[in-house]
PDB file of all heavy atoms in Angstrom:
ATOM      1  N   ARG A 279      93.688 148.011  22.324  1.00 98.00           N
ATOM      2  CA  ARG A 279      94.626 148.258  23.422  1.00 98.00           C
ATOM      3  C   ARG A 279      93.850 148.743  24.634  1.00 98.00           C
ATOM      4  O   ARG A 279      92.632 148.880  24.566  1.00 98.00           O
ATOM      5  CB  ARG A 279      95.588 149.376  23.024  1.00 98.00           C
ATOM      6  CG  ARG A 279      96.650 149.002  22.060  1.00 98.00           C
ATOM      7  CD  ARG A 279      97.644 150.166  22.055  1.00 98.00           C
ATOM      8  NE  ARG A 279      97.703 150.776  20.764  1.00 98.00           N
ATOM      9  CZ  ARG A 279      98.756 150.733  19.970  1.00 98.00           C
ATOM     10  NH1 ARG A 279      99.839 150.096  20.343  1.00 98.00           N
ATOM     11  NH2 ARG A 279      98.747 151.320  18.810  1.00 98.00           N
ATOM     12  N   GLU A 280      94.587 149.128  25.666  1.00 98.00           N
ATOM     13  CA  GLU A 280      93.937 149.526  26.919  1.00 98.00           C
ATOM     14  C   GLU A 280      92.956 150.694  26.756  1.00 98.00           C
ATOM     15  O   GLU A 280      92.007 150.813  27.524  1.00 98.00           O
ATOM     16  CB  GLU A 280      94.987 149.858  27.999  1.00 98.00           C
ATOM     17  CG  GLU A 280      95.956 150.980  27.671  1.00 98.00           C
ATOM     18  CD  GLU A 280      97.110 150.560  26.768  1.00 98.00           C
ATOM     19  OE1 GLU A 280      97.232 149.347  26.491  1.00 98.00           O
ATOM     20  OE2 GLU A 280      97.868 151.437  26.337  1.00 98.00           O
ATOM     21  N   ASP A 281      93.153 151.544  25.729  1.00 98.00           N
ATOM     22  CA  ASP A 281      92.235 152.686  25.573  1.00 98.00           C
ATOM     23  C   ASP A 281      90.856 152.257  25.068  1.00 98.00           C
ATOM     24  O   ASP A 281      89.916 153.051  25.048  1.00 98.00           O
ATOM     25  CB  ASP A 281      92.834 153.755  24.650  1.00 98.00           C
ATOM     26  CG  ASP A 281      93.023 153.247  23.223  1.00 98.00           C
ATOM     27  OD1 ASP A 281      92.567 152.125  22.909  1.00 98.00           O
ATOM     28  OD2 ASP A 281      93.622 153.977  22.412  1.00 98.00           O
ATOM     29  N   GLY A 282      90.715 150.991  24.638  1.00 98.00           N
ATOM     30  CA  GLY A 282      89.400 150.457  24.259  1.00 98.00           C
ATOM     31  C   GLY A 282      88.980 150.756  22.832  1.00 98.00           C
ATOM     32  O   GLY A 282      87.927 150.294  22.387  1.00 98.00           O
ATOM     33  N   ALA A 283      89.784 151.535  22.086  1.00 98.00           N
ATOM     34  CA  ALA A 283      89.429 151.832  20.682  1.00 98.00           C
ATOM     35  C   ALA A 283      89.715 150.596  19.836  1.00 98.00           C
ATOM     36  O   ALA A 283      90.841 150.091  19.847  1.00 98.00           O
ATOM     37  CB  ALA A 283      90.237 153.015  20.187  1.00 98.00           C
ATOM     38  N   THR A 284      88.722 150.079  19.138  1.00 98.00           N
ATOM     39  CA  THR A 284      88.935 148.852  18.355  1.00 98.00           C
ATOM     40  C   THR A 284      89.250 149.192  16.903  1.00 98.00           C
ATOM     41  O   THR A 284      88.710 150.141  16.338  1.00 98.00           O
ATOM     42  CB  THR A 284      87.682 147.950  18.379  1.00 98.00           C
ATOM     43  OG1 THR A 284      86.563 148.716  17.931  1.00 98.00           O
ATOM     44  CG2 THR A 284      87.423 147.407  19.754  1.00 98.00           C
ATOM     45  N   TYR A 285      90.133 148.389  16.323  1.00 98.00           N
ATOM     46  CA  TYR A 285      90.450 148.484  14.891  1.00 98.00           C
ATOM     47  C   TYR A 285      90.148 147.112  14.319  1.00 98.00           C
ATOM     48  O   TYR A 285      90.687 146.116  14.799  1.00 98.00           O
ATOM     49  CB  TYR A 285      91.925 148.851  14.720  1.00 98.00           C
ATOM     50  CG  TYR A 285      92.439 148.715  13.291  1.00 98.00           C
ATOM     51  CD1 TYR A 285      92.528 149.835  12.448  1.00 98.00           C
ATOM     52  CD2 TYR A 285      92.837 147.478  12.791  1.00 98.00           C
ATOM     53  CE1 TYR A 285      92.988 149.700  11.150  1.00 98.00           C
ATOM     54  CE2 TYR A 285      93.301 147.340  11.485  1.00 98.00           C
ATOM     55  CZ  TYR A 285      93.373 148.461  10.673  1.00 98.00           C
ATOM     56  OH  TYR A 285      93.830 148.334   9.390  1.00 98.00           O
ATOM     57  N   ALA A 286      89.248 147.029  13.323  1.00 98.00           N
ATOM     58  CA  ALA A 286      88.969 145.740  12.666  1.00 98.00           C
ATOM     59  C   ALA A 286      88.749 145.999  11.184  1.00 98.00           C
ATOM     60  O   ALA A 286      87.962 146.862  10.804  1.00 98.00           O
ATOM     61  CB  ALA A 286      87.734 145.095  13.279  1.00 98.00           C
ATOM     62  N   ARG A 287      89.499 145.269  10.358  1.00 97.00           N
ATOM     63  CA  ARG A 287      89.411 145.460   8.901  1.00 97.00           C
ATOM     64  C   ARG A 287      89.619 144.102   8.215  1.00 97.00           C
ATOM     65  O   ARG A 287      90.247 143.203   8.776  1.00 97.00           O
ATOM     66  CB  ARG A 287      90.538 146.362   8.389  1.00 97.00           C
ATOM     67  CG  ARG A 287      90.583 147.745   8.944  1.00 97.00           C
ATOM     68  CD  ARG A 287      89.715 148.726   8.166  1.00 97.00           C
ATOM     69  NE  ARG A 287      89.994 150.096   8.587  1.00 97.00           N
ATOM     70  CZ  ARG A 287      89.644 150.645   9.748  1.00 97.00           C
ATOM     71  NH1 ARG A 287      88.997 149.909  10.635  1.00 97.00           N
ATOM     72  NH2 ARG A 287      89.948 151.885  10.051  1.00 97.00           N
ATOM     73  N   SER A 288      89.164 144.003   6.981  1.00 95.00           N
ATOM     74  CA  SER A 288      89.482 142.861   6.139  1.00 95.00           C
ATOM     75  C   SER A 288      90.252 143.330   4.903  1.00 95.00           C
ATOM     76  O   SER A 288      91.248 142.719   4.506  1.00 95.00           O
ATOM     77  CB  SER A 288      88.211 142.130   5.706  1.00 95.00           C
ATOM     78  OG  SER A 288      87.583 141.547   6.834  1.00 95.00           O
ATOM     79  N   LEU A 289      89.782 144.407   4.315  1.00 94.00           N
ATOM     80  CA  LEU A 289      90.414 144.926   3.097  1.00 94.00           C
ATOM     81  C   LEU A 289      91.481 145.945   3.480  1.00 94.00           C
ATOM     82  O   LEU A 289      91.523 146.397   4.628  1.00 94.00           O
ATOM     83  CB  LEU A 289      89.335 145.538   2.204  1.00 94.00           C
ATOM     84  CG  LEU A 289      88.261 144.519   1.790  1.00 94.00           C
ATOM     85  CD1 LEU A 289      87.094 145.190   1.091  1.00 94.00           C
ATOM     86  CD2 LEU A 289      88.873 143.426   0.901  1.00 94.00           C
ATOM     87  N   PRO A 290      92.332 146.345   2.514  1.00 95.00           N
ATOM     88  CA  PRO A 290      93.360 147.341   2.838  1.00 95.00           C
ATOM     89  C   PRO A 290      92.739 148.650   3.338  1.00 95.00           C
ATOM     90  O   PRO A 290      91.632 148.993   2.946  1.00 95.00           O
ATOM     91  CB  PRO A 290      94.062 147.562   1.495  1.00 95.00           C
ATOM     92  CG  PRO A 290      93.781 146.334   0.703  1.00 95.00           C
ATOM     93  CD  PRO A 290      92.456 145.828   1.152  1.00 95.00           C
TER      94      PRO A 290
END
Side-chain angles (χ1 to χ4, degrees):
R279 285 192 243 247
E280 60 280 353
D281 64 7
T284 55
Y285 169 98
R287 300 273 191 288
S288 294
L289 300 171

